[in-house]
Amino acid sequence: MSQYPIKPELVAPGALSDNERLKAESEHLRGTIAADLKDDITGGFNGDNFMLIRFHGMYQQDDRDIRAERTAQKLEPLHNVMLRARMPGGIITPQQWLAIDKFAQEKTLYGSIRLTTRQTFQFHGVLKPNIKPMHQFLHSIGIDSIATAGDVNRNVLCTSNPVESELHQQAYQWAAKISEHLLPKTRAYAEIWLDEEKIETTEVEPILGDNYLPRKFKTAVVIPPHNDIDVHANDLSFVAVAENGQLIGFNVLVGAGLAMTWGDTATYPRMADDLGFIPLEHTLKVAEHVVTVQRDYGNRSNRKNAKTKYTIDRIGLDAFRAEVEARTGVAFAPVRPYQFTSRGDRIGWVEGIDGKHHLTLFIENGRILDFPGKPLKTGLAKIAAVHQGDLRMTANQNLIIAGVPTEQKAEIEAIARAHGLIDDSHSEQRKNSMACVSFPTCPLAMAEAERYLPELVSKTEALLAKHAIADEHIVLRVTGCPNGCGRAMLAEVGLVGRGPGKYNLYLGGNREGTRIPRLLLDNVGETDILATLDGLIGRWAAERHADEGFGDFVIRAGVVKPVVVPKDDFHS
């Protein structure tokens, strides 16, 4: 029950989805997870617990490469979990890094650390007996996975800006405060995973509500003009406004999101809308009540239309703003001028205004493992063993060695080069390409993404070289299904998986990440994709204006029309 008057005309009609029953009956996310952990008949979780563990930061998965083989052997799938850590702003200490490196090596099926587009790390392949010890281990080093999945506010992103160190620190502190403020209040995590005693109390969830949110919710803090966290992939974004290098407030953006459902034209990617400007002292209050408005008016009947973007398109931006203002008692001021001019990460060394140096390492697909001739995982462990600053995971699957004193630069670089963490042969194209995990672990995957991307990039590099623009790049992203984890719906060229070897090809996003691409080819294979790109890259090389990106060119040339109002024209 909301503590605020509900306007019936703004509530989505229809019977509640089964996920609402599941949450209501979960005893504030406890379910029967604790008992399920003792069930050694299956490696997976039973009934509602399959979904409830997501609120604790985990997804049940299996190795799809061997699923058929195990079925033939009359074995159940090799159930395991993927855990996503809660790391607001992506900052981790060298000591924590060394600890998670050791755990990944000793206690996971794949031995890898995966940097994600949500600016954190994931463990993949944790078997049931290791799940509770994993949470206890993470707790011992100051990390948890509370609310990194499920119908809650998830890991809060923050611009990984190592140059303007004071402004970055201020923005990061707000990202951490927002993360803490919006966490679930239930003690379920502590009781189940950390063996803390259950306290007799009447639990309430004053922000998230006893049924939590209608769907997942993503929040980010960004420092323009660098859009390195892809502001238009988040339900709620705080755009930093600074004066004289000091943070004074935020422009608040709401209603972005990239997921859609094949065959359902009522689903679509959407850009964010501006609510207005707020001074710093209202930040947590506004964050809270953007969430409570979505909690009360988000669609709890149809999960495919439950995200904030659909709530705003259904009730209107003005009504949404008015509800937030009424609940906070804060009137939004006019938006302060801002502009995004760049995206991605600044690979290599940069010097901060504090005289410290910061090395951004390109990690292809964010997969940290010792590959043949390229022992990335070992190299990062050696860097962490001597590094005096912190490490910063980025929302583009890369890693920053931050706060390196001048006298240590050579040592850090030597280790990085010796282990393949710095590779001068990496093209701009490779650095500006990204994919989601997809096969073999993601249960939603329809087509390859992470495993396919390196090969696709090589073929795209060949096309750029063929047309004498090898130093150029296209923002290229591949995702194995339409849920959007690889952020293909903000790419200049986006591939979205339809089936084995088949993708939808979208064109027309821009380099700044402020435009959604449009469908050009439906359900096609690599031959058609590369042939199409070959012709268009050739035209771009010959006909482009000065500094005109590929996405801007295909819009200007009329190859695709720009998406203006997604609910009306994305599918047209």
Side-chain angles (χ1 to χ4, degrees):
M1 180 71 69
S2 175
Q3 64 269 51
Y4 300 97
I6 298 296
K7 299 177 181 177
E9 68 274 16
L10 299 184
V11 177
L16 296 180
S17 71
D18 189 57
N19 283 72
E20 297 305 311
R21 173 205 60 79
L22 178 155
K23 289 179 283 187
E25 296 176 0
S26 72
E27 195 188 352
H28 288 102
L29 308 181
R30 292 172 177 85
T32 57
I33 295 173
D36 214 343
L37 286 169
K38 300 173 183 176
D39 180 0
D40 57 7
I41 296 175
T42 175
F45 286 85
N46 299 298
D48 289 349
N49 297 330
F50 175 86
M51 294 294 295
L52 286 177
I53 63 169
R54 298 184 179 187
F55 290 83
H56 300 257
M58 296 175 293
Y59 288 84
Q60 182 172 305
Q61 302 181 337
D62 72 282
D63 189 330
R64 295 174 66 178
D65 284 349
I66 61 173
R67 186 185 288 176
E69 176 187 342
R70 289 181 67 86
T71 300
Q73 295 171 344
K74 295 184 170 49
L75 297 172
E76 71 172 8
L78 185 59
H79 293 308
N80 59 83
V81 301
M82 176 272 279
L83 175 134
R84 181 183 300 136
R86 184 173 68 94
M87 306 291 294
I91 293 182
I92 186 169
T93 70
Q95 293 75 27
Q96 288 172 325
W97 185 271
L98 288 170
I100 67 169
D101 175 275
K102 187 173 186 291
F103 183 90
Q105 188 64 37
E106 296 178 354
K107 300 293 185 180
T108 72
L109 292 175
Y110 307 104
S112 65
I113 300 168
R114 178 57 150 75
L115 304 183
T116 83
T117 56
R118 292 308 298 173
Q119 202 174 20
T120 183
F121 70 86
Q122 294 176 176
F123 288 140
H124 286 257
V126 181
L127 296 173
K128 200 171 186 179
N130 290 327
I131 295 175
K132 188 168 182 176
M134 169 178 62
H135 286 283
Q136 295 181 338
F137 149 74
L138 288 173
H139 178 72
S140 74
I141 61 170
I143 297 174
D144 62 58
S145 63
I146 300 171
T148 56
D151 299 343
V152 287
N153 180 67
R154 300 189 176 185
N155 194 53
V156 178
L157 309 187
C158 181
T159 291
S160 301
N161 186 337
V163 178
E164 298 172 273
S165 54
E166 192 169 357
L167 182 59
H168 172 268
Q169 184 63 25
Q170 293 167 1
Y172 164 72
Q173 288 170 352
W174 279 107
K177 290 176 185 177
I178 293 166
S179 175
E180 291 295 325
H181 189 66
L182 298 180
L183 281 180
K185 306 307 181 217
T186 174
R187 287 178 45 79
Y189 184 93
E191 291 169 13
I192 295 169
W193 308 112
L194 308 180
D195 291 328
E196 291 190 12
E197 185 176 348
K198 187 171 184 178
I199 299 173
E200 291 298 327
T201 180
T202 302
E203 284 187 331
V204 293
E205 292 281 9
I207 299 175
L208 298 174
D210 290 339
N211 262 36
Y212 299 89
L213 301 184
R215 200 70 200 274
K216 61 186 177 183
F217 193 95
K218 298 178 179 179
T219 303
V221 178
V222 62
I223 306 174
H226 198 47
N227 184 24
D228 61 339
I229 53 84
D230 267 330
V231 70
H232 293 292
N234 299 283
D235 297 79
L236 171 63
S237 290
F238 291 90
V239 180
V241 177
E243 288 182 358
N244 302 316
Q246 298 294 310
L247 190 63
I248 63 165
F250 294 104
N251 289 320
V252 182
L253 275 64
V254 293
L258 305 181
M260 54 186 167
T261 302
W262 292 141
D264 185 351
T265 57
T267 66
Y268 45 83
R270 187 186 191 278
M271 304 282 284
D273 290 316
D274 289 292
L275 282 184
F277 171 81
I278 58 165
L280 286 179
E281 60 265 27
H282 299 314
T283 302
L284 295 183
K285 187 185 296 185
V286 167
E288 174 178 334
H289 289 297
V290 169
V291 169
T292 67
V293 172
Q294 165 61 4
R295 176 197 70 195
D296 292 345
Y297 293 112
N299 193 328
R300 292 184 183 269
S301 300
N302 181 0
R303 285 180 65 80
K304 294 178 181 178
N305 284 98
K307 289 272 288 172
T308 313
K309 60 182 177 179
Y310 301 118
T311 306
I312 290 173
D313 278 347
R314 178 169 48 81
I315 73 174
L317 180 66
D318 290 342
F320 194 97
R321 181 189 291 111
E323 282 292 308
V324 175
E325 290 182 331
R327 295 181 183 202
T328 59
V330 175
F332 288 99
V335 171
R336 300 288 181 95
Y338 69 95
Q339 183 179 15
F340 293 114
T341 60
S342 60
R343 190 164 47 152
D345 296 325
R346 305 169 178 134
I347 305 301
W349 286 104
V350 295
E351 183 175 354
I353 58 176
D354 58 357
K356 295 289 183 66
H357 303 271
H358 315 281
L359 174 62
T360 302
L361 300 171
F362 169 65
I363 311 292
E364 189 165 35
N365 284 317
R367 183 71 66 179
I368 297 174
L369 190 64
D370 283 349
F371 299 99
K374 197 167 60 172
L376 306 183
K377 190 163 175 288
T378 295
L380 282 171
K382 288 184 177 180
I383 289 174
V386 299
H387 181 42
Q388 301 169 25
D390 58 43
L391 307 175
R392 298 177 189 171
M393 295 169 280
T394 82
N396 301 298
Q397 304 171 330
N398 297 317
L399 189 68
I400 300 173
I401 314 301
V404 178
T406 300
E407 59 271 18
Q408 202 181 19
K409 269 187 72 179
E411 179 186 14
I412 297 290
E413 179 163 341
I415 297 171
R417 287 190 177 278
H419 294 82
L421 290 159
I422 296 178
D423 185 342
D424 295 329
S425 70
H426 284 150
S427 67
E428 288 303 307
Q429 181 57 58
R430 196 163 296 275
K431 295 171 188 174
N432 285 278
S433 300
M434 190 163 69
C436 70
V437 174
S438 197
F439 287 104
T441 55
C442 179
L444 302 177
M446 299 177 181
E448 294 281 1
E450 176 182 324
R451 296 193 295 195
Y452 175 49
L453 184 69
E455 174 188 348
L456 177 64
V457 170
S458 295
K459 292 176 180 178
T460 305
E461 289 170 333
L463 294 178
L464 294 171
K466 173 183 175 181
H467 297 289
I469 51 171
D471 291 338
E472 267 291 0
H473 74 274
I474 297 167
V475 178
L476 170 66
R477 293 175 176 177
V478 183
T479 189
C481 81
N483 280 286
C485 298
R487 302 204 296 265
M489 288 295 95
L490 287 172
E492 294 182 286
V493 173
L495 272 62
V496 183
R498 291 295 303 269
K502 298 290 185 179
Y503 302 86
N504 277 11
L505 174 63
Y506 293 84
L507 300 180
N510 60 18
R511 288 185 174 177
E512 298 77 26
T514 57
R515 188 170 60 230
I516 291 169
R518 183 181 292 279
L519 178 67
L520 181 70
L521 297 176
D522 178 70
N523 199 21
V524 294
E526 181 184 81
T527 300
D528 290 331
I529 292 167
L530 292 179
T532 300
L533 291 180
D534 187 9
L536 291 174
I537 289 171
R539 287 188 59 190
W540 177 44
E543 303 170 24
R544 61 183 173 159
H545 293 166
D547 299 321
E548 185 176 39
F550 182 79
D552 290 336
F553 168 75
V554 297
I555 294 290
R556 180 177 62 81
V559 178
V560 291
K561 297 182 298 182
V563 174
V564 180
V565 182
K567 71 182 179 68
D568 297 329
D569 69 354
F570 177 73
H571 293 289
S572 64

